[in-house]
Amino acid sequence: MKFFTIPWYEEMQVRGFMVFPETEQDWLEDVAWHVAEGISYEERAKDFLEYMKADLLKYLPEYFHSSIYDGTIKSIYPGPEFKEKALQWGRDYDERIQANYREYRQGFKAIKDLLPAPALQLVEKNLHDSRVISYVVPEDGVMEMTLDCSGAMHYQCDIRLRFTGVTGLMLPEQLEKKYWLYDEIYAVEQGFELRVLMDSPPSELRITAQDVSIEILGEPNY
């Protein structure tokens, strides 16, 4: 991936972590909801912090590290200085990510007319959150993948992608059950190169092919 890389994805998860209730009253109401539901807010915050700890230390400025180590970054409502620094980090991140999107979209617009129509449809009908059911490489130059798109924006049913004229293929060690997160596409001589960020854990799928077909395998699961 050139734009939607694994580090890009990791930092995006950190950005989601660093969102706090707007007011202390909102935070207290959230804690009260957990108590009413029989859920320990403290244990939940502790578990989430442990899950995110390595990436928080990797991507957040040193200012936040002490609150990561002592466990208070999500277990208490942030003070004014902490909250403002978190908001500023979030604003800076948002500016960087928007610049990243703009750069990719400008490049994509420049090569749209060079892509086979089905390949263009493949990326314009976003497959985000579709899940890989299976894949096969039945013969030289062909690769097939079946996706469950019931949780995706488009199709809402199973589909089969059939890539033909495949000249390059890089597969994650385990592809079945992985989720299709973000994709990039590039024009190459006699075809296209598709790069897909998969989860979980994050990994990259890369296919260079001449063409692709999209087969609908069922009725939409509305």
Side-chain angles (χ1 to χ4, degrees), residues 35-55:
V35 172
E37 294 294 320
I39 303 170
S40 170
Y41 181 90
E42 292 78 11
E43 285 300 315
R44 195 171 191 180
K46 181 181 177 181
D47 290 345
F48 193 24
L49 173 58
E50 193 59 34
Y51 175 75
M52 293 291 299
K53 188 173 183 179
D55 286 342

Side-chain angles (χ1 to χ4, degrees), residues 37-98:
E37 294 294 320
I39 303 170
S40 170
Y41 181 90
E42 292 78 11
E43 285 300 315
R44 195 171 191 180
K46 181 181 177 181
D47 290 345
F48 193 24
L49 173 58
E50 193 59 34
Y51 175 75
M52 293 291 299
K53 188 173 183 179
D55 286 342
L56 293 172
L57 292 169
K58 183 177 180 180
Y59 293 106
L60 287 177
E62 190 173 350
Y63 172 85
F64 298 101
H65 288 192
S66 61
S67 63
I68 297 169
Y69 286 121
D70 67 20
T72 59
I73 190 168
K74 275 286 190 175
S75 63
I76 62 174
Y77 188 72
E81 180 184 344
F82 185 100
K83 188 176 178 182
E84 179 52 39
K85 285 187 178 293
L87 288 170
Q88 185 58 55
W89 179 84
R91 288 191 289 265
D92 293 343
Y93 169 86
D94 291 344
E95 288 180 8
R96 286 189 288 111
I97 209 68
Q98 289 303 317

Side-chain angles (χ1 to χ4, degrees), residues 105-193:
R105 293 301 299 179
Q106 287 170 358
F108 173 69
K109 288 179 182 178
I111 57 97
K112 280 179 67 173
D113 293 342
L114 303 176
L115 297 172
L120 189 59
Q121 178 184 338
L122 178 65
V123 295
E124 290 194 327
K125 287 197 170 182
N126 199 305
L127 293 174
H128 180 72
D129 278 347
S130 60
R131 181 177 60 86
V132 178
I133 298 173
S134 63
Y135 79 95
V136 293
V137 185
E139 59 186 54
D140 289 345
V142 176
M143 190 267 194
E144 294 180 355
M145 186 188 318
T146 303
L147 299 172
D148 171 9
C149 296
S150 58
M153 184 178 299
H154 297 282
Y155 301 111
Q156 282 84 52
C157 64
D158 294 352
I159 66 171
R160 180 179 294 118
L161 305 179
R162 190 171 193 269
F163 297 89
T164 54
V166 175
T167 57
L169 184 59
M170 185 178 81
L171 296 169
E173 187 172 328
Q174 177 65 38
L175 185 56
E176 288 92 344
K177 298 183 180 179
K178 278 188 172 289
Y179 284 85
W180 184 300
L181 295 179
Y182 302 94
D183 52 58
E184 305 172 5
I185 194 166
Y186 301 95
V188 298
E189 188 175 354
Q190 296 184 339
F192 62 93
E193 180 181 82

